[in-house]
Amino acid sequence: MKQNKLTIVLPHCDDYAGVMMTTVHLIMDRRFKEFDYDILVVDNTPEASKRKHLLKNLPMDSGRVSYIELPESRGPAHTKNTGIRAASGEYVLCMDCHVFLHDDALTKLF
Protein backbone atom coordinates (compact mmCIF):
# COMPACT_ATOMS: atom_id res chain seq x y z
CA MET A 1 0.00 0.00 0.00
CA LYS A 2 1.31 3.42 -1.00
CA GLN A 3 2.10 5.74 1.87
CA ASN A 4 0.06 8.90 1.42
CA LYS A 5 1.58 12.15 2.48
CA LEU A 6 -1.57 13.35 4.30
CA THR A 7 -4.72 11.64 5.53
CA ILE A 8 -7.68 13.90 6.25
CA VAL A 9 -9.89 12.23 8.86
CA LEU A 10 -13.56 13.27 8.86
CA PRO A 11 -15.30 11.84 11.93
CA HIS A 12 -19.04 12.38 11.90
CA CYS A 13 -22.23 11.69 13.79
CA ASP A 14 -25.16 11.45 11.34
CA ASP A 15 -24.03 14.42 9.25
CA TYR A 16 -24.19 13.15 5.69
CA ALA A 17 -24.52 16.64 4.21
CA GLY A 18 -21.39 17.87 6.01
CA VAL A 19 -19.33 14.87 4.94
CA MET A 20 -20.50 15.10 1.35
CA MET A 21 -19.91 18.85 1.02
CA THR A 22 -16.40 18.70 2.48
CA THR A 23 -15.42 15.58 0.53
CA VAL A 24 -16.64 16.92 -2.81
CA HIS A 25 -15.01 20.28 -2.09
CA LEU A 26 -11.63 18.65 -1.49
CA ILE A 27 -11.83 16.35 -4.49
CA MET A 28 -13.24 18.82 -7.02
CA ASP A 29 -11.47 22.04 -6.07
CA ARG A 30 -8.53 22.47 -8.44
CA ARG A 31 -6.45 24.17 -5.73
CA PHE A 32 -6.18 20.88 -3.82
CA LYS A 33 -5.47 18.56 -6.78
CA GLU A 34 -1.71 19.04 -6.57
CA PHE A 35 -1.47 17.60 -3.05
CA ASP A 36 -1.00 13.96 -2.12
CA TYR A 37 -3.81 13.22 0.32
CA ASP A 38 -6.62 10.81 1.03
CA ILE A 39 -9.85 11.23 2.98
CA LEU A 40 -10.99 8.82 5.67
CA VAL A 41 -14.63 9.10 6.75
CA VAL A 42 -15.37 7.59 10.18
CA ASP A 43 -19.08 6.96 10.73
CA ASN A 44 -19.99 7.13 14.43
CA THR A 45 -23.71 6.37 13.91
CA PRO A 46 -24.07 3.94 10.99
CA GLU A 47 -27.24 2.35 12.33
CA ALA A 48 -28.93 5.70 12.99
CA SER A 49 -27.97 7.24 9.68
CA LYS A 50 -30.70 7.24 7.07
CA ARG A 51 -28.03 7.88 4.46
CA LYS A 52 -25.51 5.23 5.46
CA HIS A 53 -25.63 3.67 1.98
CA LEU A 54 -24.72 7.05 0.45
CA LEU A 55 -21.73 7.48 2.76
CA LYS A 56 -20.43 4.07 1.76
CA ASN A 57 -20.53 5.22 -1.87
CA LEU A 58 -18.81 8.59 -1.64
CA PRO A 59 -16.69 9.51 -4.67
CA MET A 60 -14.60 6.37 -4.28
CA ASP A 61 -13.62 6.49 -7.93
CA SER A 62 -11.35 9.39 -7.05
CA GLY A 63 -9.15 6.90 -5.21
CA ARG A 64 -8.95 9.32 -2.33
CA VAL A 65 -11.92 8.38 -0.12
CA SER A 66 -12.33 5.46 2.25
CA TYR A 67 -14.98 4.71 4.87
CA ILE A 68 -14.93 3.17 8.35
CA GLU A 69 -18.16 2.17 10.02
CA LEU A 70 -18.08 1.96 13.81
CA PRO A 71 -20.48 -0.70 15.11
CA GLU A 72 -21.68 1.45 17.99
CA SER A 73 -21.45 5.06 19.05
CA ARG A 74 -18.88 5.64 21.79
CA GLY A 75 -18.50 9.37 21.45
CA PRO A 76 -16.47 11.83 19.41
CA ALA A 77 -13.08 11.09 20.96
CA HIS A 78 -13.35 7.39 20.11
CA THR A 79 -14.40 8.25 16.55
CA LYS A 80 -11.45 10.63 16.08
CA ASN A 81 -8.96 8.20 17.62
CA THR A 82 -10.21 5.38 15.39
CA GLY A 83 -9.65 7.54 12.31
CA ILE A 84 -6.21 8.67 13.42
CA ARG A 85 -5.12 5.07 14.12
CA ALA A 86 -6.45 3.90 10.74
CA ALA A 87 -4.88 6.75 8.76
CA SER A 88 -2.35 5.67 6.15
CA GLY A 89 -0.66 9.04 5.69
CA GLU A 90 2.61 10.21 7.06
CA TYR A 91 0.67 13.17 8.45
CA VAL A 92 -2.92 13.29 9.71
CA LEU A 93 -5.38 16.16 9.76
CA CYS A 94 -8.49 15.39 11.83
CA MET A 95 -11.23 17.95 11.26
CA ASP A 96 -14.97 18.37 11.63
CA CYS A 97 -16.81 16.90 8.68
CA HIS A 98 -18.60 20.13 7.74
CA VAL A 99 -15.51 22.34 7.37
CA PHE A 100 -14.19 23.84 4.14
CA LEU A 101 -10.46 24.48 4.06
CA HIS A 102 -9.21 27.93 3.14
CA ASP A 103 -7.66 28.23 -0.32
CA ASP A 104 -4.09 28.01 0.91
CA ALA A 105 -4.63 25.75 3.93
CA LEU A 106 -2.86 22.70 2.51
CA THR A 107 -0.02 24.82 1.16
CA LYS A 108 0.58 26.24 4.62
CA LEU A 109 0.16 22.84 6.25
CA PHE A 110 2.77 21.22 4.00
Side-chain angles (χ1 to χ4, degrees):
M1 174 186 263
K2 178 185 158 224
Q3 182 80 355
N4 292 302
K5 195 166 205 165
L6 173 69
T7 297
I8 300 172
V9 177
L10 299 178
H12 88 96
C13 182
D14 200 19
D15 184 5
Y16 167 77
V19 171
M20 189 55 129
M21 287 187 305
T22 299
T23 302
V24 169
H25 177 247
L26 286 166
I27 291 171
M28 301 302 289
D29 193 314
R30 61 180 168 70
R31 293 170 293 208
F32 301 119
K33 290 191 183 294
E34 68 184 87
F35 298 101
D36 188 13
Y37 70 91
D38 65 341
I39 301 167
L40 178 57
V41 177
V42 185
D43 193 345
N44 190 24
T45 53
E47 298 310 315
S49 177
K50 297 177 184 109
R51 297 182 178 101
K52 170 181 160 180
H53 66 286
L54 296 172
L55 285 174
K56 286 185 165 186
N57 295 306
L58 284 166
M60 300 296 183
D61 59 337
S62 70
R64 292 188 186 255
V65 183
S66 54
Y67 174 82
I68 295 177
E69 180 179 302
L70 298 180
E72 61 184 41
S73 178
R74 289 198 256 162
H78 176 72
T79 307
K80 292 171 186 174
N81 287 334
T82 298
I84 291 168
R85 281 193 299 273
S88 62
E90 183 180 356
Y91 303 103
V92 178
L93 170 62
C94 185
M95 63 185 223
D96 287 348
C97 66
H98 57 269
V99 172
F100 284 177
L101 294 175
H102 190 271
D103 296 352
D104 61 350
L106 293 183
T107 302
K108 288 184 177 184
L109 182 64
F110 282 109

